[in-house]
Amino acid sequence: MKKILIAAAVTVATLGAPQAFAQAKNFEGFSVGLNINSTASDTDISNSGGSVKATGQTSANGAFQVQYNLPLGSSFVLGFGGTYEFGDIDIGSSAIFSGKRKEASSVYIAPGFAINDSWLIYGKVASISAKFESTGAAIFTGKADATGMGYGLGFQKMLGKNLYLQAEYMQNKYNDQTIVTSLTTQAKAEARTVSFGVGYKF
């Protein structure tokens, strides 16, 4: 009886392992995607001439995404990728100030867990960069390059072998930056982005 149970256990393990590993394997490989982003920004601009605070400014743009997923065991996946946004994001406005975020991009790692062979949940840690441009009163008009860090959570749903849908939430914080205006101006910017996209895995 003991030998029969051992043989049965070995058989189950042998048959089950490829199927379990297939969960992660289904997400393996290079992919490209297009996302639609909705971003809420909080920005503080200040100098010796005064300060402006813009909270909850929301706008939308698009992003191109490239990623490579590497399966780690039966269910874990490690993703490496990058995004580039097209279209500007408003960072705030008032009677004397308006600003935009341009040419935003990121590189990231995204560890994930394959719930089954079609659903993947993942976290994301990103290094972010963008150009900021402010206009309005002379003391708040200028440009600056900014970098920072982003953290998020997302899902991917495979629709067959290659096509997938994606939903994601990111919290991005840019490092404090100096904008060269008629006065030395300090800017602090944060953004919260919800995105929905479609992609193709090769």
Side-chain angles (χ1 to χ4, degrees):
M1 178 64 71
K2 184 177 179 180
K3 291 183 178 180
I4 294 175
L5 291 175
I6 293 174
V10 171
T11 302
V12 170
T14 303
L15 295 176
Q19 182 176 2
F21 189 66
Q23 291 184 187
K25 291 285 286 185
N26 281 349
F27 298 93
E28 179 183 17
F30 177 76
S31 65
V32 296
L34 290 174
N35 303 321
I36 297 175
N37 303 325
S38 177
T39 300
S41 300
D42 298 330
T43 306
D44 294 328
I45 304 287
S46 61
N47 56 34
S48 60
S51 63
V52 175
K53 183 177 181 65
T55 302
Q57 185 76 25
T58 302
S59 55
N61 69 351
F64 177 70
Q65 172 182 303
V66 295
Q67 183 167 320
Y68 183 83
N69 282 340
L70 178 68
L72 301 175
S74 62
S75 298
F76 291 98
V77 174
L78 184 60
F80 305 89
T83 63
Y84 181 84
E85 296 183 14
F86 45 91
D88 301 338
I89 288 293
D90 294 331
I91 62 171
S93 63
S94 71
I96 58 173
F97 165 85
S98 64
K100 292 185 179 296
R101 188 184 77 195
K102 301 172 175 284
E103 300 177 31
S105 62
S106 73
V107 292
Y108 61 82
I109 58 173
F113 180 81
I115 300 171
N116 53 40
D117 59 2
S118 61
W119 281 96
L120 175 74
I121 181 173
Y122 62 87
K124 180 179 284 189
V125 179
S127 174
I128 58 176
S129 63
K131 296 180 182 296
F132 285 81
E133 181 177 307
S134 59
T135 58
I139 60 172
F140 294 119
T141 298
K143 299 179 180 181
D145 295 332
T147 59
M149 294 295 296
Y151 308 91
L153 182 69
F155 296 88
Q156 283 187 356
K157 165 65 174 175
M158 296 300 299
L159 303 176
K161 183 179 179 181
N162 303 107
L163 195 65
Y164 68 85
L165 300 178
Q166 177 175 295
E168 181 179 284
Y169 173 82
M170 288 292 293
Q171 174 81 43
N172 295 325
K173 183 173 183 179
Y174 290 90
N175 299 326
D176 296 354
Q177 59 210 310
T178 299
I179 300 176
V180 180
T181 68
S182 57
L183 297 174
T184 300
T185 300
Q186 299 297 316
K188 299 180 180 181
E190 296 185 16
R192 299 167 299 282
T193 299
V194 176
S195 69
F196 299 94
V198 61
Y200 187 88
K201 183 178 72 69
F202 295 91

